[in-house]
Amino acid sequence: MRHGKYRFLAGAILPALLLYAVFVLSPYTQAFYLALTDWTGVSGEASFVGLDNFRRLWGDASFLAALRNNGVMLLVVPAVTILLGLLLATLVNFGGRRNSTMLGGIRGGEFYKIAYFFPQLLSLPIIAVLWQFVYHPNEGMLNGLLRGVGLGSLARTWLGDPHLALWAVMAVLVWSSVGFYMVLFSAAMESIPREVLEAAVLDGAGRLATLRRVILPLLWDNVQVAFVYLGVLALDGFAVVQIMTVGPGGPDGATEVIGLGLYRNAFTYGRFGYAAAMGVALFLLTLALAVVAMRAGRRERVELS
């Protein structure tokens, strides 16, 4: 009987492990190897160059600019998205009239969830194309709206200004993501036992105190996971930058990101070994982000019965 159980477990696990090794581990291994070569992407043997590609990265002005821009995105996109998601979820679930022993949600809350979640139905390239039209300096909706309300002096070439282009891209990433995390946080809030909220209200806690001292600690695991996923999005940003901004890295490299430099070095310049080194660096940065976020945000788990 025991041998039959082991055979069943082996038959269930080994095929999955084999597929994982072939389609996940193998490409990673090849990328790590290519990062140590000068392969050009065409047939032929690649010369082993060791860590030279990684040394070149720290002297590459374009890569350093991309690293700086990704760092700014990492600071802004997760923080703004999570704050807006928490705010909208709180308004939907607890922004209505307050009863004597309960914080009520607003009327039509389900409609707002659907409306804010709608961008998730669109792929990121489609969102980038739509916002490219929104930001158009002459015919775009944003400048047209500003001129229509008498604020034409605020109209800008949003994607052509080196000081604004990166912020315009980050606004699109936040807009496309906030609805998902609003729904995620809203679902987590709905799972909080009503007795806990009633006790907070009976103790005299206001809405802000209830949010800060009761709701947020119970949502901490969700916030932590959201930060990791949004951090990965901020460290990528390739699709939005590639579609929305013109030229390599936007105006004066203002929107240069690591993914864009990787793509350009591999498929434009034929430096696949150097591009693989960029990919490995991006992988290590993403891994470090996940480890630091999970360890730094570790708290005692709150158990509710």
Side-chain angles (χ1 to χ4, degrees):
M1 189 71 178
R2 181 175 300 176
H3 294 294
K5 180 181 71 173
Y6 290 149
R7 284 196 297 269
F8 172 78
L9 292 176
I13 295 175
L14 290 179
L17 289 178
L18 179 61
L19 291 174
Y20 183 81
V22 171
F23 294 106
V24 178
L25 296 182
S26 176
Y28 274 111
T29 303
Q30 295 179 51
F32 292 147
Y33 170 73
L34 290 177
L36 304 176
T37 69
D38 62 354
W39 188 49
T40 61
V42 296
S43 59
E45 293 186 2
S47 300
F48 185 81
V49 297
L51 299 177
D52 285 351
N53 286 329
F54 295 97
R55 296 190 187 99
R56 287 175 57 193
L57 289 177
W58 303 114
D60 187 340
S62 178
F63 176 78
L64 295 179
L67 192 62
R68 182 179 63 251
N69 291 335
N70 278 119
V72 173
M73 294 170 67
L74 181 60
L75 292 175
V76 174
V77 173
V80 174
T81 304
I82 290 173
L83 287 175
L84 287 177
L86 286 171
L87 175 63
L88 293 173
T90 302
L91 291 176
V92 167
N93 288 277
F94 307 113
R97 293 183 178 180
R98 174 172 170 169
N99 300 325
S100 58
T101 60
M102 183 60 64
L103 299 174
I106 63 174
R107 183 175 300 176
E110 295 301 321
F111 169 77
Y112 290 110
K113 293 178 186 178
I114 295 173
Y116 282 108
F117 190 80
F118 177 76
Q120 296 299 313
L121 304 179
L122 305 176
S123 66
L124 202 55
I126 293 177
I127 291 174
V129 171
L130 292 175
W131 276 89
Q132 192 177 34
F133 287 109
V134 172
Y135 285 135
H136 193 281
N138 299 322
E139 302 174 358
M141 185 180 71
L142 180 55
N143 282 345
L145 180 62
L146 291 174
R147 296 187 183 103
V149 297
L151 298 175
S153 60
L154 298 179
R156 297 287 188 275
T157 54
W158 303 98
L159 297 175
D161 188 333
H163 302 291
L164 296 175
L166 184 62
W167 294 97
V169 170
M170 289 191 292
V172 174
L173 292 175
V174 171
W175 179 86
S176 65
S177 304
V178 69
F180 174 82
Y181 292 99
M182 175 232 183
V183 173
L184 175 67
F185 296 146
S186 180
M189 289 178 182
E190 290 176 355
S191 67
I192 298 176
R194 294 290 136 178
E195 294 80 4
V196 175
L197 299 177
E198 290 178 1
V201 173
L202 290 174
D203 287 340
R207 294 179 188 271
L208 184 60
T210 302
L211 174 65
R212 185 165 58 91
R213 297 185 178 276
V214 178
I215 297 175
L216 280 182
L218 296 176
L219 265 62
W220 186 252
D221 288 344
N222 302 85
V223 172
Q224 194 176 37
V225 172
F227 180 83
V228 173
Y229 276 100
L230 288 167
V232 173
L233 176 67
L235 287 175
D236 180 15
F238 166 75
V240 175
V241 171
Q242 173 73 355
I243 295 171
M244 290 182 61
T245 60
V246 180
D252 295 335
T255 58
E256 179 75 21
V257 291
I258 298 176
L260 184 61
L262 187 157
Y263 172 84
R264 188 169 58 249
N265 276 279
F267 298 104
T268 302
Y269 304 142
R271 299 197 291 247
F272 276 78
Y274 188 57
M278 286 187 174
V280 172
L282 181 59
F283 167 78
L284 294 177
L285 287 173
T286 305
L287 182 62
L289 166 69
V291 172
V292 170
M294 299 304 289
R295 292 183 66 86
R298 183 180 297 173
R299 293 185 176 185
E300 292 185 3
R301 185 178 299 273
V302 179
E303 297 289 347
L304 294 175
S305 57

Short mmCIF file of all heavy atoms in Angstrom, two decimals, residues 20-49:
data_model
loop_
_atom_site.label_atom_id
_atom_site.label_comp_id
_atom_site.label_asym_id
_atom_site.label_seq_id
_atom_site.Cartn_x
_atom_site.Cartn_y
_atom_site.Cartn_z
N TYR A 20 8.67 21.83 -15.67
CA TYR A 20 9.22 23.04 -15.05
C TYR A 20 10.71 23.18 -15.38
O TYR A 20 11.19 24.28 -15.69
CB TYR A 20 9.02 22.97 -13.54
CG TYR A 20 9.49 24.19 -12.79
CD1 TYR A 20 8.69 25.32 -12.72
CD2 TYR A 20 10.74 24.21 -12.16
CE1 TYR A 20 9.11 26.45 -12.04
CE2 TYR A 20 11.17 25.34 -11.49
CZ TYR A 20 10.35 26.45 -11.43
OH TYR A 20 10.78 27.56 -10.75
N ALA A 21 11.44 22.07 -15.35
CA ALA A 21 12.86 22.11 -15.65
C ALA A 21 13.10 22.49 -17.11
O ALA A 21 14.01 23.28 -17.42
CB ALA A 21 13.51 20.77 -15.34
N VAL A 22 12.28 21.96 -18.02
CA VAL A 22 12.49 22.20 -19.45
C VAL A 22 12.11 23.63 -19.84
O VAL A 22 12.84 24.31 -20.56
CB VAL A 22 11.70 21.18 -20.29
CG1 VAL A 22 11.73 21.56 -21.77
CG2 VAL A 22 12.27 19.79 -20.09
N PHE A 23 10.97 24.10 -19.35
CA PHE A 23 10.42 25.37 -19.83
C PHE A 23 10.73 26.56 -18.92
O PHE A 23 10.49 27.71 -19.31
CB PHE A 23 8.91 25.26 -20.02
CG PHE A 23 8.51 24.32 -21.11
CD1 PHE A 23 7.99 23.07 -20.82
CD2 PHE A 23 8.69 24.67 -22.44
CE1 PHE A 23 7.63 22.19 -21.82
CE2 PHE A 23 8.33 23.80 -23.46
CZ PHE A 23 7.80 22.56 -23.16
N VAL A 24 11.23 26.34 -17.70
CA VAL A 24 11.55 27.45 -16.79
C VAL A 24 13.03 27.46 -16.43
O VAL A 24 13.74 28.44 -16.69
CB VAL A 24 10.69 27.37 -15.50
CG1 VAL A 24 11.07 28.50 -14.54
CG2 VAL A 24 9.21 27.45 -15.85
N LEU A 25 13.52 26.37 -15.85
CA LEU A 25 14.90 26.34 -15.40
C LEU A 25 15.88 26.36 -16.57
O LEU A 25 16.93 27.03 -16.50
CB LEU A 25 15.15 25.10 -14.53
CG LEU A 25 14.36 25.04 -13.22
CD1 LEU A 25 14.74 23.80 -12.44
CD2 LEU A 25 14.63 26.29 -12.38
N SER A 26 15.56 25.65 -17.64
CA SER A 26 16.47 25.60 -18.78
C SER A 26 16.68 26.98 -19.42
O SER A 26 17.83 27.38 -19.66
CB SER A 26 15.97 24.59 -19.82
OG SER A 26 16.78 24.59 -20.96
N PRO A 27 15.62 27.75 -19.70
CA PRO A 27 15.86 29.10 -20.24
C PRO A 27 16.66 30.00 -19.30
O PRO A 27 17.50 30.79 -19.76
CB PRO A 27 14.44 29.65 -20.47
CG PRO A 27 13.59 28.44 -20.64
CD PRO A 27 14.18 27.42 -19.73
N TYR A 28 16.40 29.90 -17.99
CA TYR A 28 17.18 30.69 -17.05
C TYR A 28 18.65 30.30 -17.11
O TYR A 28 19.55 31.16 -17.12
CB TYR A 28 16.65 30.49 -15.63
CG TYR A 28 15.51 31.40 -15.25
CD1 TYR A 28 14.23 30.90 -15.07
CD2 TYR A 28 15.74 32.75 -15.06
CE1 TYR A 28 13.18 31.74 -14.73
CE2 TYR A 28 14.70 33.60 -14.72
CZ TYR A 28 13.42 33.09 -14.55
OH TYR A 28 12.39 33.92 -14.22
N THR A 29 18.92 29.00 -17.15
CA THR A 29 20.30 28.54 -17.21
C THR A 29 20.99 29.03 -18.48
O THR A 29 22.15 29.48 -18.45
CB THR A 29 20.34 27.00 -17.15
OG1 THR A 29 19.67 26.55 -15.97
CG2 THR A 29 21.77 26.50 -17.14
N GLN A 30 20.29 28.96 -19.60
CA GLN A 30 20.86 29.44 -20.85
C GLN A 30 21.12 30.94 -20.79
O GLN A 30 22.15 31.42 -21.31
CB GLN A 30 19.91 29.12 -22.00
CG GLN A 30 19.73 27.64 -22.27
CD GLN A 30 18.75 27.37 -23.41
OE1 GLN A 30 18.87 27.94 -24.48
NE2 GLN A 30 17.78 26.52 -23.16
N ALA A 31 20.22 31.70 -20.19
CA ALA A 31 20.43 33.15 -20.08
C ALA A 31 21.65 33.46 -19.23
O ALA A 31 22.46 34.35 -19.57
CB ALA A 31 19.19 33.81 -19.49
N PHE A 32 21.82 32.74 -18.12
CA PHE A 32 22.99 32.96 -17.27
C PHE A 32 24.28 32.64 -18.04
O PHE A 32 25.28 33.35 -17.89
CB PHE A 32 22.91 32.10 -16.01
CG PHE A 32 21.82 32.53 -15.07
CD1 PHE A 32 21.15 31.60 -14.29
CD2 PHE A 32 21.46 33.86 -14.96
CE1 PHE A 32 20.15 31.99 -13.42
CE2 PHE A 32 20.47 34.26 -14.09
CZ PHE A 32 19.81 33.33 -13.32
N TYR A 33 24.24 31.58 -18.84
CA TYR A 33 25.43 31.22 -19.62
C TYR A 33 25.71 32.27 -20.70
O TYR A 33 26.86 32.70 -20.87
CB TYR A 33 25.26 29.84 -20.25
CG TYR A 33 26.34 29.53 -21.25
CD1 TYR A 33 27.64 29.24 -20.84
CD2 TYR A 33 26.07 29.55 -22.62
CE1 TYR A 33 28.64 28.97 -21.76
CE2 TYR A 33 27.07 29.29 -23.55
CZ TYR A 33 28.35 29.01 -23.11
OH TYR A 33 29.33 28.75 -24.02
N LEU A 34 24.67 32.69 -21.42
CA LEU A 34 24.87 33.67 -22.49
C LEU A 34 25.40 34.99 -21.94
O LEU A 34 26.11 35.72 -22.64
CB LEU A 34 23.56 33.91 -23.24
CG LEU A 34 23.05 32.76 -24.10
CD1 LEU A 34 21.70 33.11 -24.72
CD2 LEU A 34 24.06 32.42 -25.20
N ALA A 35 25.04 35.33 -20.70
CA ALA A 35 25.53 36.57 -20.11
C ALA A 35 27.04 36.56 -19.93
O ALA A 35 27.65 37.62 -19.74
CB ALA A 35 24.84 36.81 -18.77
N LEU A 36 27.64 35.38 -19.99
CA LEU A 36 29.09 35.26 -19.82
C LEU A 36 29.80 35.12 -21.17
O LEU A 36 30.99 34.81 -21.21
CB LEU A 36 29.41 34.05 -18.95
CG LEU A 36 28.77 34.04 -17.55
CD1 LEU A 36 29.09 32.74 -16.83
CD2 LEU A 36 29.22 35.24 -16.73
N THR A 37 29.07 35.37 -22.27
CA THR A 37 29.64 35.22 -23.61
C THR A 37 29.43 36.51 -24.41
O THR A 37 28.77 37.44 -23.95
CB THR A 37 28.98 34.05 -24.35
OG1 THR A 37 27.62 34.38 -24.66
CG2 THR A 37 29.00 32.78 -23.51
N ASP A 38 29.99 36.51 -25.62
CA ASP A 38 29.78 37.64 -26.53
C ASP A 38 28.93 37.21 -27.73
O ASP A 38 29.13 37.71 -28.84
CB ASP A 38 31.12 38.19 -27.02
CG ASP A 38 31.93 37.16 -27.79
OD1 ASP A 38 31.51 35.98 -27.85
OD2 ASP A 38 32.99 37.53 -28.35
N TRP A 39 27.97 36.32 -27.51
CA TRP A 39 27.15 35.78 -28.59
C TRP A 39 26.40 36.90 -29.29
O TRP A 39 25.85 37.82 -28.65
CB TRP A 39 26.17 34.76 -28.03
CG TRP A 39 25.42 34.00 -29.08
CD1 TRP A 39 25.95 33.38 -30.17
CD2 TRP A 39 24.01 33.77 -29.13
NE1 TRP A 39 24.96 32.76 -30.91
CE2 TRP A 39 23.76 32.99 -30.30
CE3 TRP A 39 22.94 34.14 -28.32
CZ2 TRP A 39 22.47 32.59 -30.66
CZ3 TRP A 39 21.67 33.73 -28.67
CH2 TRP A 39 21.45 32.96 -29.84
N THR A 40 26.35 36.83 -30.61
CA THR A 40 25.71 37.88 -31.42
C THR A 40 24.28 37.54 -31.82
O THR A 40 23.62 38.34 -32.49
CB THR A 40 26.52 38.15 -32.69
OG1 THR A 40 26.58 36.96 -33.47
CG2 THR A 40 27.92 38.62 -32.33
N GLY A 41 23.81 36.35 -31.46
CA GLY A 41 22.44 35.97 -31.79
C GLY A 41 22.32 35.18 -33.07
O GLY A 41 21.22 34.71 -33.38
N VAL A 42 23.38 35.03 -33.83
CA VAL A 42 23.36 34.23 -35.05
C VAL A 42 24.12 32.94 -34.79
O VAL A 42 24.81 32.79 -33.78
CB VAL A 42 23.97 35.00 -36.24
CG1 VAL A 42 23.14 36.22 -36.56
CG2 VAL A 42 25.40 35.39 -35.95
N SER A 43 23.99 31.99 -35.72
CA SER A 43 24.64 30.70 -35.55
C SER A 43 26.15 30.88 -35.46
O SER A 43 26.74 31.76 -36.08
CB SER A 43 24.29 29.77 -36.71
OG SER A 43 24.71 30.33 -37.93
N GLY A 44 26.78 30.05 -34.70
CA GLY A 44 28.21 30.14 -34.49
C GLY A 44 28.53 30.07 -33.02
O GLY A 44 27.69 30.33 -32.17
N GLU A 45 29.74 29.72 -32.72
CA GLU A 45 30.15 29.58 -31.33
C GLU A 45 30.35 30.95 -30.70
O GLU A 45 30.85 31.88 -31.34
CB GLU A 45 31.43 28.76 -31.24
CG GLU A 45 31.26 27.31 -31.65
CD GLU A 45 32.51 26.51 -31.40
OE1 GLU A 45 33.48 27.09 -30.87
OE2 GLU A 45 32.52 25.31 -31.72
N ALA A 46 29.98 31.04 -29.46
CA ALA A 46 30.17 32.28 -28.71
C ALA A 46 31.42 32.17 -27.85
O ALA A 46 31.70 31.13 -27.27
CB ALA A 46 28.95 32.55 -27.83
N SER A 47 32.16 33.24 -27.78
CA SER A 47 33.38 33.27 -26.97
C SER A 47 33.03 33.56 -25.52
O SER A 47 32.19 34.42 -25.23
CB SER A 47 34.35 34.33 -27.50
OG SER A 47 34.71 34.07 -28.84
N PHE A 48 33.68 32.86 -24.63
CA PHE A 48 33.45 33.05 -23.20
C PHE A 48 34.22 34.29 -22.75
O PHE A 48 35.43 34.39 -22.93
CB PHE A 48 33.91 31.82 -22.43
CG PHE A 48 33.61 31.88 -20.96
CD1 PHE A 48 32.35 31.57 -20.49
CD2 PHE A 48 34.59 32.25 -20.06
CE1 PHE A 48 32.06 31.63 -19.13
CE2 PHE A 48 34.32 32.31 -18.70
CZ PHE A 48 33.05 32.00 -18.24
N VAL A 49 33.52 35.27 -22.18
CA VAL A 49 34.15 36.52 -21.76
C VAL A 49 34.07 36.72 -20.25
O VAL A 49 34.47 37.77 -19.74
CB VAL A 49 33.53 37.73 -22.48
CG1 VAL A 49 33.76 37.64 -23.98
CG2 VAL A 49 32.04 37.85 -22.17
#
